[in-house]
Amino acid sequence: HALDVLGARMLRLDANGFLGVEKSAEGLPAWSEGHPLSHAANHIIAGMVRKVGGFTFQELNLTIEDIRDTGAVGADLSYDFIGRPGYQHALATGQTEFLRLALTTSLELGVAPVGLVHGLQNHDELTYELVHWASHFDEKYRFRLREVPGAQLADEIRADLADQLTGSVDYNRIFTQNGIACTSASIIAATRGFATLDEITEADIPAIRDAHLLMCAYNAWQPGVFALSGWDLTGMLTVPADDVADLVATGDTRWIARGAHDLLGVAPDATRSAAGMPRGRALYGPLPAQLDDPDSFASRLSRILEVRREHGVATASQVDIPDVADPAMLVMVHRLDDGDPTVDAPIQVTVLNFSPEPVEGTVHSAQLVPLADVVSAETGATIGQVDELLSFEVSLPPYGALFLMLTGGVSEGVVR
């Protein structure tokens, strides 16, 4: 029905790791994750969908190994529960260390970003998704200059997010023990110190927009699927809890992040949706007006997506997440090989600044090509050259993002 009647091409399998459940010994939890019947059910469902011309992705909040193993016998893609809390933690703290740890751990365990759906806000809360670290409770991870057990790492990240995004604000709300009800824009508002949403003026919107576009660049300028919602496109803020009091009365605070929004500006005077949801505040406005403004969120997002399409990063191979010179920086190195590691492919480097301050630093990776020119894909300008130590310098504005291509250079004694 979804494929042939509604016209969907991709179907979401929600919590599909729990399709097989078996009673355990008395007093112990039931066996679900990794159960053979769960794998078999996933295989059957995904195979049936492919037979009728569709694809599936799984929304599975389990360990990285579970995401890998379940995906191997089932869904074609997996929702990115690995990097999502990492980039939001980076934005909240101005430091990318946990995000880099999450990305490198994912690569080491066999979950490449090309098989993931990298999303911004959806209908749910900002889920901490720290199951992997909590499950590896006694395994040690290097974090903040010390060795930390997985359980402690999960507690620290959860505490950071809760403190930064809900501690002193009245518009983001904790949802059970799994996450925070918020929008992408209200995450940024909290990181910028707004105690209430009424404090946000027109003069404050450009900085929020820039941080939001940084989140887009992180998700779009790496291999895999890029996803965002109408709430992102219009810059929606959360709605007051009092406006959805009947819906949040049982504790489901996620309703504050589901405000009605008008993508095309067809009902400017409406205060509620047809279903009765109160209209939230949209920082960026409807799409037609945005597309008439080259500096708007939607117009600048279109340029991010144009670069993504032109260079084929969606089907590239991520080959390195190197250490960084500034704690606010993130560097992702990709081979634009269309998934074929045997071809001689160009190297692409995504460099991001998760800080509200400008940064300067050195990009260093063993994957870089000596003496190659470093070219901005957006402007066509050469910003530097890779030296013989496999490094180059970069400067980024607040919440800046660079999509860089390496051209020329010397590789294994051959001039490129």
Side-chain angles (χ1 to χ4, degrees):
H1 181 268
L3 292 165
D4 294 335
V5 177
L6 300 180
R9 307 316 308 158
M10 178 73 73
L11 300 185
R12 185 185 74 158
L13 308 184
D14 193 358
N16 58 308
F18 305 100
L19 287 173
V21 182
E22 181 177 334
K23 183 178 180 179
S24 296
E26 186 175 354
L28 296 177
W31 180 17
S32 57
E33 301 97 315
H35 195 289
L37 289 178
S38 179
H39 284 180
N42 274 279
H43 207 161
I44 291 171
I45 293 171
M48 290 174 62
V49 172
R50 284 191 292 268
K51 285 179 181 178
V52 294
F55 300 91
T56 56
F57 77 93
Q58 59 184 6
E59 192 169 23
L60 190 60
N61 177 19
L62 292 176
T63 68
I64 297 174
E65 295 95 334
D66 287 317
I67 293 172
R68 176 197 65 203
D69 296 343
T70 305
V73 295
D76 303 290
L77 299 164
S78 299
Y79 192 73
D80 185 3
F81 281 136
I82 301 164
R84 186 174 186 230
Y87 79 78
Q88 291 168 337
H89 182 266
L91 195 65
T93 64
Q95 300 185 353
T96 64
E97 184 179 9
F98 174 64
L99 175 57
R100 287 182 278 116
L101 174 61
L103 296 179
T104 54
T105 302
S106 183
L107 287 175
E108 290 168 359
L109 294 177
V111 177
V114 72
L116 299 176
V117 177
H118 310 289
L120 274 74
Q121 182 189 348
N122 60 24
H123 63 288
D124 273 328
E125 75 284 5
L126 184 174
T127 38
Y128 300 128
E129 305 308 343
L130 302 171
V131 174
H132 178 84
W133 317 101
S135 298
H136 295 260
F137 57 90
D138 58 355
E139 187 171 338
K140 297 296 180 64
Y141 298 95
R142 186 71 178 172
F143 185 65
R144 291 175 177 165
L145 302 178
R146 75 229 199 272
E147 299 293 321
V148 181
Q152 181 180 336
L153 175 63
D155 287 342
E156 289 188 19
I157 300 303
R158 185 180 296 109
D160 287 344
L161 288 169
D163 179 61
Q164 293 293 325
L165 302 185
T166 69
S168 59
V169 307
D170 67 353
Y171 47 84
N172 298 326
R173 300 291 181 94
I174 296 293
F175 174 66
T176 65
Q177 296 299 312
N178 198 43
I180 299 169
C182 55
T183 68
S184 295
S186 76
I187 288 174
I188 300 164
T191 68
R192 295 195 60 80
F194 294 103
T196 70
L197 296 180
D198 289 339
E199 295 177 11
I200 300 174
T201 68
E202 287 295 316
D204 298 314
I205 293 176
I208 294 175
R209 177 198 61 204
D210 290 348
H212 204 160
L213 288 164
L214 170 71
M215 297 165 70
C216 293
Y218 164 77
N219 285 286
W221 286 352
Q222 64 174 304
V225 176
F226 171 62
L228 79 168
S229 66
W231 293 299
D232 287 300
L233 287 170
T234 51
M236 296 299 298
L237 298 173
T238 53
V239 298
D242 290 345
D243 290 356
V244 286
D246 56 329
L247 296 172
V248 302
T250 58
D252 191 349
T253 57
R254 293 175 296 180
W255 288 100
I256 68 171
R258 298 168 176 167
H261 54 287
D262 188 355
L263 273 176
L264 298 180
V266 296
D269 298 324
T271 59
R272 290 182 175 269
S273 71
M277 278 299 294
R279 185 174 193 151
R281 180 182 174 188
L283 296 182
Y284 312 144
L287 290 183
Q290 286 196 59
L291 294 176
D292 287 337
D293 177 5
D295 292 326
S296 71
F297 176 83
S299 292
R300 290 174 60 186
L301 173 61
S302 70
R303 295 195 287 274
I304 289 175
L305 298 181
E306 182 180 351
V307 169
R308 168 185 165 89
R309 285 191 297 267
E310 180 181 351
H311 295 279
V313 73
T315 54
S317 298
Q318 190 168 93
V319 293
D320 196 15
I321 305 293
D323 292 334
V324 291
D326 188 287
M329 286 175 55
L330 175 72
V331 177
M332 299 184 288
V333 183
H334 307 118
R335 293 181 77 251
L336 303 182
D337 55 16
D338 199 25
D340 183 356
T342 65
V343 302
D344 183 19
I347 296 295
Q348 183 273 327
V349 184
T350 297
V351 187
L352 308 169
N353 173 19
F354 281 86
S355 165
E357 304 296 331
V359 301
E360 295 184 358
T362 301
V363 173
H364 172 77
S365 171
Q367 300 295 327
L368 302 184
V369 181
L371 306 183
D373 289 331
V374 182
V375 179
S376 168
E378 294 178 278
T379 67
T382 299
I383 69 166
Q385 186 179 67
V386 179
D387 61 28
E388 294 184 356
L389 296 179
L390 305 179
S391 304
F392 63 88
E393 303 295 321
V394 292
S395 298
L396 296 102
Y399 303 125
L402 292 171
F403 189 104
L404 304 173
M405 297 294 302
L406 302 190
T407 63
V410 179
S411 179
E412 298 179 354
V414 178
V415 177
R416 297 167 64 91

